[in-house]
Amino acid sequence: MNGLTATLIVLVIVLIIVAAVAVILGLRAKRAAPKPESRATDPFHTGDQDSLRGDPRALKAGDIVEVRGLTYTVRGTLRLSEGGWSWAEHLLDDAKGTQVWLAVEEDPDLILSLWTPVADAGEPGPKTIDFAGRTYHSEESGTAQFRSEATTGLAEQGTVRYHDYQASDGSKLGFEAYGDADWEASTGEELSRYDVLIYPTAD
């Protein structure tokens, strides 16, 4: 009886050891197995469009930009920041010397807008401004820091005051005053990602 008990005890111990070894080997195999890559994606991510149409966030002087079929060259760039928010404004011109500004920001999705300088829009301040047949309503205003790259016609760095208005159809009217300069006005329109095609120059 004592011999049988001893045998059973030894058998139980052996089974426990075998089970422990199996568990340890299983854990090691699981750790060694390659982990599947995460498939979570941002539904608004523009990676595919960036590879096909160029990345607006990487624009620099000398790049060629097509906006709705019109071809421009990037002459210079303003890098602006206010608090934790930053954006870029690129000065574009065409073969005829027409100049416009392409604004690029993420909030958090990519936002592109095209701005054309205009005269006789007055000055910002009122809650609404009537200009060129539209009524624009005050949206936001503030003061930002800027750095200038390549040719912009502005100092290398400084401050800019801005005041943005928007009409009911989405049209924009913006005012900017760099340093101690007077207010300058521009009309703006938001662009689709498909409106912009970029041909970057070699570094």
Side-chain angles (χ1 to χ4, degrees):
M1 188 69 175
N2 288 339
L4 183 59
T5 302
T7 302
L8 286 174
I9 291 173
V10 170
L11 217 80
V12 169
I13 292 173
V14 169
L15 287 174
I16 291 173
I17 293 172
V18 169
V21 169
V23 169
I24 291 171
L25 290 176
L27 288 173
R28 285 183 179 174
K30 187 176 181 181
R31 287 176 186 168
K35 295 180 180 179
E37 295 182 4
S38 174
R39 297 295 182 185
T41 56
D42 180 352
F44 297 103
H45 182 60
T46 59
D48 291 341
Q49 286 303 314
D50 291 343
S51 63
L52 293 172
R53 308 187 69 83
D55 187 354
R57 288 156 293 209
L59 272 176
K60 62 187 182 303
D63 288 350
I64 304 300
V65 181
E66 276 190 18
V67 180
R68 294 176 178 168
L70 298 177
T71 303
Y72 300 91
T73 302
V74 180
R75 295 302 180 193
T77 296
L78 295 177
R79 307 286 179 187
L80 302 108
S81 62
E82 182 183 14
W85 181 39
S86 61
W87 69 101
E89 295 180 3
H90 304 280
L91 176 60
L92 314 180
D93 72 4
D94 62 13
K96 299 177 181 178
T98 303
Q99 293 190 334
V100 294
W101 290 86
L102 177 65
V104 180
E105 58 185 297
E106 291 181 278
D107 191 26
D109 302 324
L110 181 65
I111 301 172
L112 305 174
S113 54
L114 190 68
W115 295 84
T116 304
V118 294
D120 304 322
E123 292 190 354
K127 290 184 178 180
T128 61
I129 292 179
D130 293 321
F131 178 72
R134 289 187 176 92
T135 298
Y136 295 89
H137 301 269
S138 177
E139 286 284 305
E140 60 181 350
S141 61
T143 301
Q145 305 293 317
F146 75 86
R147 289 185 298 104
S148 178
E149 300 174 0
T151 303
T152 63
L154 296 167
E156 289 186 5
Q157 59 184 6
T159 59
V160 56
R161 293 173 292 148
Y162 66 89
H163 197 142
D164 292 336
Y165 289 75
Q166 184 166 310
S168 57
D169 64 356
S171 300
K172 304 173 186 294
L173 177 65
F175 295 88
E176 293 179 326
Y178 289 87
D180 297 325
D182 294 333
W183 288 102
E184 297 178 0
S186 300
T187 53
E189 57 179 322
E190 192 164 322
L191 300 174
S192 159
R193 184 67 187 83
Y194 298 95
D195 290 330
V196 179
L197 184 60
I198 297 167
Y199 301 93
T201 56
D203 293 330

